[in-house]
Amino acid sequence: MKLDEVVITKAIIENFTKLFVEYTDVDVAIAGAGPAGMVAAKELAENNVKTVIFERKLSVGGGMWGGGAMFPLIVVQKEGKEILEEYNIKTEQYVPNYYYANSVESVAKITSGACDAGAKIFNLISVEDVMIRGEDKRITGLVLNWSAVELAKLHVDPITIRAKLVIDATGHAAEVCNVVLNKIPGAQLKTKTGKIVGELPMWADIGEKALVENTVEVYPGLIVAGMAANAVLGSPRMGPIFGGMLISGKQAAKVAMDLLKS
Ligand code: 48F
């Protein structure tokens, strides 16, 4: 049978549109497909929570690909190793409680885990704003545009999806929390200053431990996960140790599921 390029085009456009329309109304929308966002997505989707991730870049995986300083290995502690094993990622012990894994294998398998669980990932789409409703100005959705539009600084209006909950998993920049503070008059985050406290310098032990505690609902309808949680709540960065990111992803899913039930 001869191939027809127009059929190929229609297959992409018709099916993308059908899928995107289905995901204009979700339980949980996640900004950022780094390790924290992807682990959260897998946990949610496998518990039948309708979950979508929007990722600005062409590739998912955030800061995990590059390991530490471009050496493609990540380090995890015991709890992190156990999560990597759930994804069938090979780990080796270095010394007691320090394990390492290949960063490329880790991204590939964590991505596969999120997809297999049923989470939908849309890449090349940037979250540029939030939708709010009600007296408490609760977050009720995300405002999106093509990353190409953002990069080219084109004057093109965005589109919007509705979500019962949003997870800010945008990493160090905590972009959704910044939007909330910059655009919602009088907005206060549930932090000690009401604002983004800011990430502290490297202290892996404290940063890793704080991360789970920092993975909370910081604003009505908005949960923080991964490095965004430490940036918003004012805890240290931790460099190429990734156990906390994975645990935070799981914790964000748990917080979301508890909120969806309440
Ligand atoms: O930065 P990132 O990997 O965040 P994470 O999951 O993990 C942090 C670690 O990689 C590392 C670390 C380990 O100790 O500190 O930094 O918390 O992934 C964040 C993803 O969000 C995307 C960004 O491209 C990246 O893939 N992102 C950021 N802003 C937006 C966004 C946005 N406005 N819209 C869509 N995606």
Coordinates of all heavy atoms in Angstrom, one line a residue, residues 151-191:
L151 N 8.8 31.5 23.3 CA 10.2 31.8 22.9 C 10.4 32.9 21.9 O 11.3 33.7 21.9 CB 10.8 30.5 22.3 CG 11.3 29.5 23.3 CD1 11.6 28.1 22.6 CD2 12.5 30.0 24.0
A152 N 9.4 32.9 20.9 CA 9.5 33.9 19.9 C 8.8 35.3 20.3 O 8.8 36.2 19.5 CB 8.8 33.4 18.6
K153 N 8.3 35.3 21.5 CA 7.7 36.5 22.1 C 6.6 37.0 21.1 O 6.4 38.2 20.9 CB 8.7 37.6 22.4 CG 9.7 37.2 23.4 CD 10.6 38.4 23.7 CE 11.5 38.3 24.9 NZ 12.3 37.0 25.0
L154 N 5.8 36.0 20.6 CA 4.7 36.4 19.7 C 3.5 36.8 20.5 O 3.3 36.3 21.6 CB 4.3 35.2 18.8 CG 5.4 34.6 17.9 CD1 4.9 33.4 17.2 CD2 5.9 35.7 17.0
H155 N 2.8 37.8 20.0 CA 1.6 38.2 20.7 C 0.4 37.3 20.3 O -0.4 37.7 19.4 CB 1.3 39.7 20.3 CG 0.3 40.3 21.2 ND1 0.0 41.7 21.1 CD2 -0.6 39.8 22.0 CE1 -1.0 42.0 22.0 NE2 -1.4 40.8 22.5
V156 N 0.3 36.2 21.0 CA -0.8 35.2 20.7 C -1.4 34.9 22.0 O -0.7 34.5 22.9 CB -0.2 33.9 20.0 CG1 -1.3 32.9 19.8 CG2 0.6 34.3 18.7
D157 N -2.7 35.0 22.0 CA -3.5 34.7 23.3 C -3.4 33.2 23.6 O -3.4 32.3 22.7 CB -4.9 35.1 23.2 CG -5.0 36.6 23.7 OD1 -4.4 36.9 24.7 OD2 -5.8 37.4 23.1
P158 N -3.4 32.9 24.9 CA -3.3 31.5 25.3 C -4.6 30.8 25.3 O -5.7 31.4 25.1 CB -2.8 31.6 26.7 CG -3.4 32.9 27.2 CD -3.4 33.8 26.0
I159 N -4.6 29.5 25.7 CA -5.8 28.7 25.9 C -5.8 28.2 27.4 O -4.8 28.3 28.1 CB -6.0 27.5 24.9 CG1 -4.7 26.6 25.0 CG2 -6.3 28.0 23.6 CD1 -4.8 25.4 24.1
T160 N -7.0 27.7 27.8 CA -7.1 27.3 29.3 C -7.7 25.9 29.5 O -8.5 25.5 28.7 CB -8.1 28.3 29.9 OG1 -7.6 29.7 29.6 CG2 -8.2 28.2 31.4
I161 N -7.2 25.2 30.5 CA -7.8 24.0 30.9 C -8.2 24.1 32.3 O -7.7 24.8 33.1 CB -6.8 22.8 30.7 CG1 -5.6 22.9 31.6 CG2 -6.4 22.6 29.2 CD1 -5.5 21.9 32.6
R162 N -9.3 23.3 32.6 CA -9.8 23.3 34.0 C -9.2 22.1 34.8 O -9.0 21.0 34.2 CB -11.3 23.1 33.9 CG -12.0 23.2 35.3 CD -13.5 23.2 35.1 NE -14.0 24.4 34.5 CZ -14.7 24.4 33.3 NH1 -14.9 23.3 32.6 NH2 -15.1 25.5 32.8
A163 N -8.9 22.4 36.1 CA -8.3 21.3 36.9 C -8.8 21.5 38.3 O -8.9 22.6 38.8 CB -6.8 21.3 36.9
K164 N -9.1 20.4 39.0 CA -9.6 20.5 40.4 C -8.4 20.9 41.3 O -8.5 21.6 42.2 CB -10.1 19.1 40.9 CG -11.4 18.7 40.2 CD -12.0 17.5 40.8 CE -13.3 17.1 40.0 NZ -13.1 15.8 39.3
L165 N -7.2 20.4 40.9 CA -6.0 20.8 41.6 C -4.8 20.9 40.6 O -4.8 20.3 39.6 CB -5.6 19.6 42.6 CG -6.5 19.4 43.8 CD1 -6.1 18.1 44.5 CD2 -6.4 20.6 44.8
V166 N -3.9 21.8 41.0 CA -2.7 22.0 40.2 C -1.5 21.7 41.1 O -1.5 22.0 42.3 CB -2.6 23.5 39.7 CG1 -1.3 23.8 39.2 CG2 -3.7 23.7 38.6
I167 N -0.5 21.0 40.4 CA 0.8 20.8 41.1 C 1.9 21.6 40.4 O 2.1 21.5 39.2 CB 1.2 19.3 41.1 CG1 0.2 18.5 41.9 CG2 2.6 19.2 41.8 CD1 0.4 17.0 41.9
D168 N 2.6 22.5 41.2 CA 3.7 23.2 40.7 C 4.9 22.4 40.8 O 5.5 22.3 41.9 CB 3.9 24.6 41.4 CG 5.0 25.4 40.8 OD1 5.8 24.9 40.0 OD2 5.1 26.6 41.2
A169 N 5.4 21.8 39.7 CA 6.6 20.9 39.8 C 7.6 21.5 38.8 O 8.2 20.8 38.0 CB 6.2 19.5 39.4
T170 N 7.7 22.9 38.8 CA 8.5 23.5 37.8 C 9.9 23.7 38.2 O 10.7 24.4 37.6 CB 7.9 24.9 37.4 OG1 7.8 25.7 38.6 CG2 6.5 24.8 36.8
G171 N 10.3 23.1 39.3 CA 11.7 23.1 39.7 C 12.1 24.4 40.4 O 11.2 25.1 41.0
H172 N 13.4 24.8 40.4 CA 13.9 25.9 41.2 C 13.1 27.2 41.0 O 12.9 28.0 41.9 CB 15.3 26.2 40.8 CG 16.3 25.0 41.1 ND1 17.1 25.0 42.2 CD2 16.5 23.9 40.4 CE1 17.8 23.9 42.2 NE2 17.5 23.2 41.1
A173 N 12.5 27.4 39.8 CA 11.8 28.7 39.5 C 10.4 28.8 40.1 O 9.9 29.9 40.2 CB 11.7 28.8 38.0
A174 N 9.9 27.7 40.5 CA 8.5 27.7 41.1 C 7.6 28.6 40.3 O 7.0 29.6 40.9 CB 8.6 28.1 42.6
E175 N 7.4 28.4 39.1 CA 6.8 29.4 38.2 C 5.3 29.6 38.5 O 4.8 30.7 38.4 CB 7.0 28.9 36.7 CG 8.4 29.0 36.3 CD 8.6 29.2 34.8 OE1 7.7 29.5 34.1 OE2 9.8 29.0 34.4
V176 N 4.6 28.5 38.9 CA 3.2 28.7 39.1 C 3.0 29.6 40.4 O 2.1 30.5 40.4 CB 2.4 27.4 39.2 CG1 0.9 27.6 39.3 CG2 2.7 26.5 38.0
C177 N 3.8 29.3 41.4 CA 3.7 30.1 42.6 C 4.0 31.5 42.4 O 3.4 32.5 42.9 CB 4.6 29.5 43.7 SG 4.1 27.9 44.3
N178 N 5.0 31.8 41.5 CA 5.3 33.2 41.1 C 4.2 33.8 40.5 O 3.9 35.0 40.7 CB 6.6 33.2 40.3 CG 7.8 33.3 41.1 OD1 8.1 34.3 41.7 ND2 8.6 32.2 41.1
V179 N 3.5 33.1 39.6 CA 2.3 33.7 38.9 C 1.3 34.1 39.9 O 0.7 35.2 39.9 CB 1.7 32.7 37.9 CG1 0.3 33.1 37.5 CG2 2.6 32.6 36.7
V180 N 1.0 33.2 40.9 CA 0.0 33.4 41.9 C 0.3 34.7 42.7 O -0.5 35.6 42.8 CB -0.1 32.2 42.9 CG1 -0.9 32.6 44.1 CG2 -0.7 31.0 42.1
L181 N 1.6 34.8 43.1 CA 1.9 36.0 43.9 C 1.9 37.3 43.0 O 1.5 38.4 43.5 CB 3.3 35.8 44.5 CG 3.4 34.9 45.7 CD1 4.8 34.6 46.1 CD2 2.5 35.4 46.8
N182 N 2.4 37.2 41.8 CA 2.5 38.4 40.9 C 1.2 38.9 40.4 O 1.0 40.0 40.1 CB 3.5 38.1 39.8 CG 4.9 37.9 40.2 OD1 5.2 38.4 41.3 ND2 5.7 37.2 39.4
K183 N 0.2 37.9 40.2 CA -1.0 38.3 39.5 C -2.3 38.4 40.3 O -3.2 39.0 39.9 CB -1.2 37.4 38.3 CG 0.0 37.5 37.3 CD -0.4 36.9 36.0 CE -1.4 37.7 35.2 NZ -1.6 37.2 33.9
I184 N -2.3 37.7 41.5 CA -3.5 37.7 42.3 C -3.4 38.7 43.4 O -2.5 38.5 44.3 CB -3.8 36.3 42.9 CG1 -3.9 35.2 41.8 CG2 -5.1 36.3 43.7 CD1 -4.1 33.8 42.2
P185 N -4.1 39.8 43.4 CA -4.0 40.8 44.4 C -4.1 40.3 45.8 O -5.1 39.5 46.1 CB -5.1 41.8 44.0 CG -5.5 41.5 42.7 CD -5.2 40.1 42.4
G186 N -3.2 40.6 46.6 CA -3.2 40.2 48.0 C -3.0 38.7 48.3 O -3.2 38.2 49.4
A187 N -2.5 38.0 47.3 CA -2.3 36.5 47.5 C -1.3 36.2 48.5 O -0.2 36.9 48.5 CB -1.9 35.9 46.1
Q188 N -1.6 35.3 49.4 CA -0.6 34.9 50.4 C -0.4 33.4 50.2 O -1.4 32.6 50.1 CB -1.2 35.1 51.8 CG -1.5 36.5 52.2 CD -0.2 37.1 52.8 OE1 0.4 36.5 53.6 NE2 0.1 38.3 52.4
L189 N 0.8 32.9 50.2 CA 1.1 31.5 50.2 C 1.2 31.0 51.7 O 1.5 31.8 52.6 CB 2.4 31.2 49.5 CG 2.5 31.6 48.0 CD1 3.9 31.3 47.4 CD2 1.4 31.0 47.2
K190 N 1.0 29.7 51.9 CA 1.1 29.2 53.2 C 2.5 28.9 53.6 O 3.0 27.8 53.7 CB 0.2 27.9 53.4 CG -1.3 28.2 53.3 CD -2.1 26.9 53.2 CE -3.4 27.2 52.5 NZ -4.0 25.9 52.0
T191 N 3.3 30.0 53.7 CA 4.7 29.9 54.0 C 4.9 30.9 55.2 O 4.0 31.6 55.5 CB 5.7 30.4 52.9 OG1 5.4 31.8 52.7 CG2 5.4 29.6 51.6

